Amino acid sequence: MRAAALTVALSLAVAAWASEGASPDDTARVNAWVDSVKQAAGLVRQLVAAGKQDLAVAKLGTIINDAGSMREALQAAADGGARGARSEELASATEFDTGAAFSVNTTFKPKRCSGQLASPGHRVRIHYVGKFVHDSKVFASSFHTGSVPYRMVLGDPSELEAWNVGIEGMCPNERRSIVSPWNMAYGAKGNAKVGVPPKADVKFFIELVSVSERPAPGFSHLAKSRSEDL
Ligand SMILES: *[C@@H]1O[C@H](CO)[C@@H](O)[C@H](O)[C@H]1NC(C)=O
């Protein structure tokens, strides 16, 4: 009777465990074990019915030992699950979110600032250094790519919003620093390729190298909508 109650409780535990996303291997292993416990428990019942208490006790000892091993395996799986949850927690960590507000400062302005300024729809070439706000470490720069300036079309929605907003109005050779909250930079997921963790606030040091005279082909709508705004 007790053994039967034990197997029912175990089946429930296994079902709950499986529904929480145990690996198929673990589920198969524990299912096989429950079957063997059921068999053993049936044998205990027969032995008791036949008056062979000593053999029944020995068989129960085997079940208890096996249950101990299974308990360890389950515990290890649970601990592993907890570690998995912990790394998910880390992935959504806010430790790189410093609460920084977006800001832009001009750190160098050339004496002659005329001609085409950086405007939406125009091609720009920039040198940049990107640092994390939380530890001031450099994570990327155009100097890492052989000092070849980075090319982009200002206002292109596939570029960082911090750049689209922060570079606008610069004249060639002007330098700016930009502090950007994560949601205007690499976002909630960060960018593993660039080595940016989730929700990382960043700081950019930008030097505008050049601006195209005309809007880039396919991007004149950005320039137009701009002049309509004005
Ligand atoms: C701009 O200057 C202000 C005042 O010195 C400072 O608080 C802010 O962090 C600076 N922003 C950037 C992007 O450097």
Side-chain angles (χ1 to χ4, degrees):
M1 277 297 145
R2 267 216 193 148
L6 176 70
T7 58
V8 169
L10 281 167
S11 301
L12 289 177
V14 169
W17 188 44
S19 73
E20 273 175 31
S23 78
D25 278 352
D26 286 342
T27 304
R29 195 162 110 222
V30 85
N31 280 341
W33 175 75
V34 166
D35 288 340
S36 81
V37 169
K38 281 181 186 164
Q39 267 191 357
L43 191 56
V44 167
R45 181 166 56 200
Q46 285 172 20
L47 289 168
V48 170
K52 296 178 177 165
Q53 320 306 63
D54 50 347
L55 288 179
V57 166
K59 194 68 202 169
L60 276 172
T62 312
I63 294 174
I64 288 167
N65 280 344
D66 289 348
S69 308
M70 202 61 226
R71 180 175 179 275
E72 271 172 31
L74 279 173
Q75 187 66 59
D79 290 346
R83 271 197 300 280
R86 169 83 185 123
S87 52
E88 264 178 36
E89 207 176 282
L90 265 183
S92 63
T94 54
E95 58 197 291
F96 311 111
D97 177 357
T98 63
F102 184 77
S103 78
V104 180
N105 290 339
T106 292
T107 54
F108 174 78
K109 188 119 182 166
K111 280 198 189 118
R112 287 170 48 133
C113 182
S114 55
Q116 183 60 56
L117 303 184
S119 324
H122 288 250
R123 226 180 260 293
V124 298
R125 293 191 304 147
I126 59 167
H127 275 304
Y128 71 94
V129 174
K131 290 182 175 188
F132 295 122
V133 172
H134 72 277
D135 65 3
S136 294
K137 288 214 172 102
V138 174
F139 62 86
S141 83
S142 53
F143 305 105
H144 285 129
T145 53
S147 291
V148 176
Y150 180 75
R151 292 159 173 269
M152 64 179 273
V153 173
L154 201 69
D156 181 342
S158 68
E159 300 290 348
L160 300 183
E161 192 186 353
W163 285 4
N164 283 336
V165 176
I167 293 170
E168 191 174 345
M170 284 179 91
C171 57
N173 299 321
E174 181 177 335
R175 290 179 215 145
R176 285 185 182 175
S177 59
I178 302 173
V179 166
S180 173
W182 56 266
N183 61 354
M184 288 179 71
Y186 299 94
K189 290 188 173 160
N191 184 329
K193 258 196 224 158
V194 189
V196 176
K199 294 190 179 174
D201 293 339
V202 290
K203 187 165 181 166
F204 292 109
F205 300 86
I206 306 261
E207 178 174 339
L208 183 66
V209 176
S210 66
V211 185
S212 65
E213 283 292 319
R214 303 180 158 276
F219 287 91
S220 50
H221 63 286
L222 293 174
K224 262 193 214 128
S225 69
R226 186 71 199 162
S227 58
E228 274 162 15
D229 286 350
L230 293 173

